[in-house]
Amino acid sequence: MTVDIKANGSCRQIPFNKVHITDAFWTERMKVHQDVTLDLCIKRCEETDRIKNFITASKGENKGAYVGRFYNDSDVYKVLEGAAYSLMHQENKELEKKIDEIIGYIGSAQEENGYLMAYYTVEEPEGRWTNLDRHEMYCGGHLIEAAVAYYQSTGKRNFLDIACKLVDHYMDTFGPDKRNWVPGHEEIELALVRLYEVTGEEKHLRFAYWLLEQRGKGYGSNEGDVKFEPTAEHISHPEYYQNNVPVKDIEKVVGHAVRAMYLYTGMADVSKYVNTDYEHALRRVWDNVVNKNLYITGGIGPSKKNEGFTVDYDLPNKTAYCETCAGIGLTLWNARMSWLEGHGKYMDVVERSLYNNIIAGWALGGDTFFYVNPLAADGTHNRKPWYNTACCPTNLCRFIPSIGQYIYCIDNDEVVVNLFIDSEVEMAYKGHNLRLIQETTYPVSSVIKLRPEYEGKEPVQCRLRVPEWCNSFTVQVNDKEVLAPVTNGYIQVTCENGQTIELNMDMPVRLVLANEKVTMNEGKVAIVRGPIVYALEQQDQDQPLADIKIPSNALFRVSNESIGGLPKVICYSRDGQKLATCIPYFTWNNRGEDAMQVWCVEEKAESLYY
Amino acid sequence: MTVDIKANGSCRQIPFNKVHITDAFWTERMKVHQDVTLDLCIKRCEETDRIKNFITASKGENKGAYVGRFYNDSDVYKVLEGAAYSLMHQENKELEKKIDEIIGYIGSAQEENGYLMAYYTVEEPEGRWTNLDRHEMYCGGHLIEAAVAYYQSTGKRNFLDIACKLVDHYMDTFGPDKRNWVPGHEEIELALVRLYEVTGEEKHLRFAYWLLEQRGKGYGSNEGDVKFEPTAEHISHPEYYQNNVPVKDIEKVVGHAVRAMYLYTGMADVSKYVNTDYEHALRRVWDNVVNKNLYITGGIGPSKKNEGFTVDYDLPNKTAYCETCAGIGLTLWNARMSWLEGHGKYMDVVERSLYNNIIAGWALGGDTFFYVNPLAADGTHNRKPWYNTACCPTNLCRFIPSIGQYIYCIDNDEVVVNLFIDSEVEMAYKGHNLRLIQETTYPVSSVIKLRPEYEGKEPVQCRLRVPEWCNSFTVQVNDKEVLAPVTNGYIQVTCENGQTIELNMDMPVRLVLANEKVTMNEGKVAIVRGPIVYALEQQDQDQPLADIKIPSNALFRVSNESIGGLPKVICYSRDGQKLATCIPYFTWNNRGEDAMQVWCVEEKAESLYY
């Protein structure tokens, strides 16, 4: 297999530690992460022996001594990743000491040959690399991500060395002239690219690419070498593992949602550095996900059965799975697509998932979590303080502090503004230092002001995303209208040092009529304002949720009363009846157990034109 | 017939001479009226011998000497009405002298017994009151309206006395114990109520009511007394004249559009002062007109054949008749309904018709006119400087200077703001003088500020219309949120002297999907912003109108470039293609002969949610 390393792409990411978030909404969310969620996740990892397992493993095989699910290492890694990000935002010697201690345990659990997974070392050393579906490389991938994050945060190599040694073990075991392997839960691929980005070692990149290329070639094709035992599911449901077709031939999203997202993320990551033939597959599957399999909340994966996809337009509400991790995966993938292709539609998906599905998984108080994020509930679905399979809490733990990286990037000498979050960013721009100040209360309001402080003499070329939800807006630079067209979801605006760009979008509350192909939502509407999908909780209503009908000519008031930092919306009929009080979907189930719905029956007003 | 005169209703109108319009949009329109249209209409009435006909008539029968259509007197009256209004806005001794001169001619044409219609006096004295369809009382109605206006404007009775004498003649000839009569073209009914309002003579009101009550009882029921000759049309098409059912039993709008509107206006006017049983009929027919027979432009009457209505949902575009006068009639009626019933939906219709259909009939330069206002044109439909049947230009001539009366009224001690027009109004309010200042650039923007200057101590109770097009807004009084519901199309807001009410409506450009029952517009959308319906003229486009498709996810820019005082709107595809440049519908055909369309083929974007 030849690997054609390509020149750097046109897009330069801005790491989140260069971005200072001053946003009212996100500052509060990140404070909750820092003050509550991070500590809580570390504590839970301790309480559940997730950390102790490494200590146990450091002593070698000891059947029966491992506690919990076989993939529990991964939670520790994600929490450490989150902790590393937290350190970038705020120095914390005590936390750093704690992390170093945990890294010590992890290192002690690594075997001589580099192998590292507490479960197998303790319980089943003979079973290593025999079952694709036991998350060995999934755990490894998260270890790598955490190690890279900690290295970037502190400059310390302690964790990174463990990661490199682990990867060396992978590459000693698998590869073009060795065994093949198709990880049952993707993650390693994207992690290897992150590792490549700090080590600069092409082997890390090549191995990621090689792993991707093994997919879809059928189990058993290499049986002589491969010492794994496919389960019946493996053979009958290769879709579940995205192992049904070679990745370049992917047409439709299949199988487990998180796995699919991590796969596409890895494909996009590899494509950043290698000339692959993945481009068409990624675009095709993106169309399939976004146009036929995406909940309005940015959630994906309707089915509990496979934690994933079924058939196009199958988007039930109450039984929607919409795993929090899948939303995060969707965001990871779409951010990569955005950087790769420079089209705003990818950041539209990021925004949709971020402000709705993802943060719904996280209580406003930061101390309980949803694994599953349905769009309707009967009052028995509640956030929990932890899960045996704790992927979602720990994924939030590492994701939330990293969102700064999605706000800006530089592409073709243009400063790209992807998310509207009050913040300041510093970057090198055409050889000079550029400080860009973004002022906004978005998504409370939809006015965005951008002011560059630039030492260079040239004008600063900006590209502002115009979100899909927006259908009319104005842009001006110091009161001068900019009429450039929106291309690929962005408008180009040029300004000088000290000038102000003002983007002003019309952001009415609007009724979104369900796509007619989604039969379960026939005749239903959702209440949406800007990127925020609203939901109705029973406690706010005067009548049973099922009886509430939203007239097509309903009148909405954006209230001064807010929840989770965003306004409630009150819906009236034209004759002054208060029909519903709506809260941002992500804030539901924060005031006790309750019934909830996003989609409401529409009542067609007898009107020719409304 | 007993007439049950009722107590004054709760609604007090504010005459337009108490309203000082300072609005950028309407000030310009009214200047054009004053400087161009009024003079032009007087001149045309002279050039076409419409005024000379009165002089001819003053000499008695003189067959062959009458010039023009038999109903041409009415045009002179409407122009005089417009001139009278103009004098209220601005003193003009020269104009007043000219009006007095014309009134002199009119007076001289009045016969001994009060009869006044130049055509019959000159050409066919024996034919008087023999044909319901010869507009005798229609002309009389317009005479009355002009006379009342001139009396109100100048305090002079010269014209009013002519009107009273004419009405005495009507009442000498027709009435409960005399002949019956069903005017073929309504107008007299509403005019008699206006007369009653200045004379206070109940007989004027009673006669209006009596005329309305004659309808729908069949021709010939009173044949012994009635000396008219119904034409074949009369007998076979009583709908054309709204003579098919007693007015209290009206269910659906039928026949000639202007006549129907003037009838309903008269019914509403009479109902203001008399306990009638018209209420349900008016509401029924309003529903029928507005929900099944109203063009998006506020035009009515699809058919050229009867200048009126056909069947529900028959709303063709290119052959739409939508006579300018019918739009004015619709406005007259709906304003009355608004004052009678206090529901905002009526002023929604006024606003729709006013900003679209009505002013479309009038070139921006004020010197040419549309009689017919189609919603699509192939480039052969142009405004003309005059028409042989000049009802539309002269109707505009009298209507435009009177719009101030539709902005405010007082209802149940509430100051009602019906239209958003930058203006000041003075009125008595709870025994003190109230000056209300409205500041807005509506419909360029949608922020409305209201500031009362009030000498009384009590708070000022206001009721602001929330237009049907608006589905989300905020109201505050000095930055304090008002969350009162919208009832009957209005929000109640209480404020003190010197406080400011701010109404802030979301006013995005939006696509209005045609009602599916309007088969000719299947799959088509109109581009609308606030109350303004946009149109596409061929000259602004890069491709033939017929080829332009508007995607459901189109992106709109409200341009700084304006036409007729309102911004152009530019429509782009999401990939940056400029698809169309749109102008306010009313401004079309102001830059030369051109093809035009309002409804465009929609291209459904492949998206689950947009």
Side-chain angles (χ1 to χ4, degrees), chain A residues 294 481-482 484 556-557 609, chain B residues 294 471 482 484 556-557 560 609:
Chain A
L294 182 64
E481 181 181 34
V482 177
F556 294 98
R557 312 286 291 276
Y609 305 113
Chain B
L294 182 64
N471 80 339
V482 177
F556 294 98
R557 312 286 290 277
N560 274 356
Y609 305 114

Side-chain angles (χ1 to χ4, degrees), chain B residues 15-16 21 65 101 115 119 155-156 168 209 302 322 443 483 507 523 563:
Chain B
F16 60 82
I21 292 181
E101 185 191 330
Y115 186 90
Y119 169 78
K156 291 194 237 175
D168 284 342
Y209 187 32
C322 291
L483 259 185
M507 193 168 73
I563 177 167

Side-chain angles (χ1 to χ4, degrees), chain A residues 291 294 296 352 468-472 481-482 484 486 509-510 555-557 560 574 576 606 608-610, chain B residues 291 294 296 352 468-472 481-482 484 486 509-510 556-557 560 574 576 606 608-610:
Chain A
N291 295 328
L294 182 64
I296 192 168
R352 183 185 287 274
E468 197 185 10
W469 63 255
C470 168
N471 80 340
S472 67
E481 181 181 34
V482 177
V486 172
V509 180
R510 62 193 204 285
L555 203 47
F556 294 98
R557 312 286 291 276
N560 273 355
R574 291 275 164 176
E606 192 196 0
L608 272 164
Y609 305 113
Y610 289 93
Chain B
N291 296 328
L294 182 64
I296 193 169
R352 183 185 286 276
E468 197 184 9
W469 62 256
C470 168
N471 80 339
S472 66
E481 182 180 34
V482 177
V486 173
V509 180
R510 61 193 205 285
F556 294 98
R557 312 286 290 277
N560 274 356
R574 291 276 164 173
E606 191 195 359
L608 272 166
Y609 305 114
Y610 289 94

Side-chain angles (χ1 to χ4, degrees), chain A residues 311-343:
Chain A
V311 294
D312 292 343
Y313 303 109
D314 176 34
L315 297 166
N317 294 309
K318 202 173 147 195
T319 60
Y321 202 68
C322 290
E323 186 181 333
T324 304
C325 285
I328 291 174
L330 183 70
T331 287
L332 297 177
W333 173 37
N334 275 276
R336 266 66 164 191
M337 292 301 286
S338 156
W339 297 326
L340 212 54
E341 304 222 322
H343 197 299

